[in-house]
Amino acid sequence: MKKIILNILLVFMLTGAFGQTNIPPLTIEQYNILNSFLKENTLLYHKTNFSYHWQHYLNLNWLKNDIGFCLYEESGVSKNEISRFVDETTLENINIKIDNIQGPYRIEEGKINKTSIKLVSEYNSNNILYLSSPIIERGTAVILYKKLWEEKIIFFLKSEDGQWNTFCEFYIKESTRTNGISYFLPPK
């Protein structure tokens, strides 16, 4: 019996279950996306969030029926116009990738361009930013952004020169807004 318990403990230690040392890092391309939109003086949680609920918003049916607008002013399009830039197949592939996420990814401090962004490992402030890992499908990427009661999905498009640019940001939850930016639940 002792031998079985020791073997189980050895497996846990080798797989990093106790220290969580096997948390994979983000890719260079994922860091390019983070660096394209992170703002100075941010407290950022050191692991990505891997919530699944947000993928229900990533379909053209919901995006076309929601009356809210993309918040990124340079694009100047409403969410129901996203289909001009992102097709259903891309969204389906992004959803498959979200389904296949096995856990959080590690965010490494030296790979964030802005030096005033501080990575935190403990919940020590209500002002911590939680991000999903950027999900990339060809020239499109999405990320879930959560800070306090603000929760939004950010769409990115890759330019011809390889830069990731914010295309659309829309709220899926924010308790302080009542102006119809977006609904919390998709229509039935």
Side-chain angles (χ1 to χ4, degrees):
M1 183 68 164
K2 285 183 182 181
K3 191 173 189 175
I4 293 172
I5 292 173
L6 287 174
N7 284 337
I8 292 171
L9 286 173
L10 181 61
V11 167
F12 272 102
M13 290 170 55
L14 290 175
T15 60
F18 289 128
Q20 296 184 356
T21 57
N22 285 342
I23 298 174
L26 294 172
T27 66
I28 292 171
E29 197 71 1
Q30 288 173 314
Y31 279 111
N32 289 340
I33 293 168
L34 292 182
N35 286 317
S36 75
F37 84 97
L38 284 173
K39 295 183 177 23
E40 296 285 349
N41 300 315
T42 299
L43 295 177
L44 176 62
Y45 194 66
H46 75 290
K47 295 180 201 170
T48 62
N49 176 330
F50 61 104
S51 300
Y52 297 103
H53 74 283
W54 63 291
Q55 75 187 97
H56 300 292
Y57 301 98
L58 299 175
N59 66 75
L60 290 182
N61 185 43
W62 185 78
L63 292 168
K64 286 179 182 180
N65 289 317
D66 187 271
I67 61 171
F69 290 89
C70 295
L71 299 179
Y72 190 66
E73 295 173 9
E74 289 182 28
S75 69
V77 299
S78 65
K79 284 188 290 196
N80 62 11
E81 296 176 302
I82 287 179
S83 62
R84 292 187 351 214
F85 305 94
V86 180
D87 63 16
E88 188 69 40
T89 302
T90 299
L91 291 173
E92 287 172 8
N93 290 337
I94 287 171
N95 277 305
I96 290 168
K97 289 178 180 183
I98 293 170
D99 281 339
N100 290 326
I101 295 174
Q102 298 294 314
Y105 287 82
R106 183 175 67 244
I107 300 173
E108 300 174 74
E109 198 164 350
K111 301 208 175 163
I112 302 293
N113 289 346
K114 296 172 180 74
T115 56
S116 66
I117 293 176
K118 181 180 178 190
L119 293 180
V120 295
S121 59
E122 295 179 14
Y123 182 81
N124 59 8
S125 167
N126 285 334
N127 210 17
I128 296 175
L129 173 60
Y130 296 89
L131 300 172
S132 71
S133 59
I135 308 298
I136 303 168
E137 178 61 24
R138 293 177 280 175
T140 304
V142 293
I143 195 166
L144 177 67
Y145 173 108
K146 292 176 75 172
K147 187 173 182 181
L148 294 169
W149 294 276
E150 177 183 36
E151 187 171 8
K152 61 185 173 180
I153 295 174
I154 304 173
F155 276 86
F156 300 86
L157 292 177
K158 192 171 189 178
S159 67
E160 289 182 14
D161 65 353
Q163 299 298 311
W164 287 98
N165 299 301
T166 303
F167 163 65
C168 178
E169 298 179 1
F170 64 89
Y171 288 96
I172 56 176
K173 176 180 162 186
E174 184 186 18
S175 64
T176 59
R177 280 195 189 266
T178 57
N179 64 355
I181 292 290
S182 192
Y183 297 108
F184 176 61
L185 296 174
K188 295 180 181 177

